[in-house]
């Protein structure tokens, strides 16, 4: 068992159940040295509380880092489904509007944007520039202030296309 004692080293995942927070903190703590165990912590968190959105983010970030793009894509897609359901958005992300996102509860709406950005990045890294561009175009509409930093992914895409 891993024991975390220094609260300054903890990641603030927001209002999540303490047992899920412990799993995520443990996974974050060991991911550089033991990615397989970290993945198990993140998956366990998702299995125990599938509506806790930060768990998905931890898992797909690890999968992406490990260049396991198929798994990262599946996790991010599942995450987006959960977030959009909590936000009360349509099943098709292409039909979402800024007005709908603004009217949605803030917590899942923020994750909707993060998960769209993640999918754009995963698709770009996996060589699917057209799909990455589609996600980025939607993010420009939904997040005109670039609060989630999609412009970084857009710059990477523009560099690839140049």
């Amino acid at each position: 068992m891993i024991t975390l004692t220094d609260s300054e080293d903890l990641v603030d995942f927001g209002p999540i159940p303490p047992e899920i927070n412990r799993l995520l903190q443990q996974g974050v703590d060991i991911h550089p040295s033991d990615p397989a165990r970290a993945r198990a912590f993140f998956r366990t968190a998702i299995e125990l509380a599938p509506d806790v959105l930060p768990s998905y983010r931890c898992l797909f970030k690890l999968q992406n880092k490990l260049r396991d793009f198929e798994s990262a894509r599946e996790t991010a897609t599942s995450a987006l489904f959960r977030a959009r359901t909590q936000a009360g958005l349509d099943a098709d992300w292409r039909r979402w509007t800024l007005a709908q996102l603004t009217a949605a509860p803030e917590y899942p709406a923020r994750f909707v944007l993060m998960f769209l950005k993640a999918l754009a990045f995963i698709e770009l890294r996996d060589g699917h520039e057209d799909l990455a561009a589609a996600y980025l175009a939607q993010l420009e509409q939904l997040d005109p202030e670039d609060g989630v930093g999609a412009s970084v992914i857009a710059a990477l895409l523009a560099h690839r296309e140049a």
Side-chain angles (χ1 to χ4, degrees):
M1 176 195 261
I2 295 172
T3 305
L4 300 171
T5 56
D6 189 354
S7 64
E8 292 180 20
D9 291 339
L10 298 180
V11 175
D12 182 3
F13 291 112
I16 64 173
E19 63 276 8
I20 302 305
N21 188 50
R22 276 190 295 280
L23 288 166
L24 297 183
Q25 298 296 344
Q26 289 174 323
V28 167
D29 189 51
I30 65 165
H31 85 273
S33 61
D34 194 348
R37 255 180 93 205
R39 187 184 309 232
F41 281 126
F42 300 149
R43 282 189 174 145
T44 300
I46 291 169
E47 289 171 14
L48 292 174
D51 287 329
V52 175
L53 302 174
S55 305
Y56 295 91
R57 187 165 188 254
C58 290
L59 181 57
F60 69 64
K61 284 183 74 131
L62 176 63
Q63 292 165 329
N64 190 45
K65 179 182 175 188
L66 297 172
R67 303 187 66 80
D68 182 0
F69 300 127
E70 189 58 38
S71 295
R73 182 180 299 105
E74 288 175 19
T75 301
T77 300
S78 294
L80 186 60
F81 169 81
R82 293 283 179 178
R84 73 102 180 141
T85 300
Q86 291 177 29
L89 298 172
D90 188 85
D92 185 352
W93 56 269
R94 293 170 197 88
R95 292 197 293 241
W96 300 341
T97 66
L98 178 57
Q100 291 170 330
L101 197 64
T102 302
E106 181 182 349
Y107 187 76
R110 184 169 44 102
F111 279 95
V112 161
L113 296 173
M114 281 191 276
F115 296 158
L116 276 175
K117 177 187 171 189
L119 283 164
F121 187 60
I122 291 162
E123 295 300 348
L124 180 62
R125 286 195 72 200
D126 201 21
H128 303 127
E129 287 88 0
D130 289 346
L131 187 51
Y135 284 127
L136 290 169
Q138 182 65 343
L139 276 164
E140 285 178 18
Q141 299 298 313
L142 298 175
D143 187 21
E145 301 295 320
D146 195 28
V148 296
S151 60
V152 173
I153 311 302
L156 292 171
L157 177 62
H159 179 72
R160 273 199 178 179
E161 293 176 342

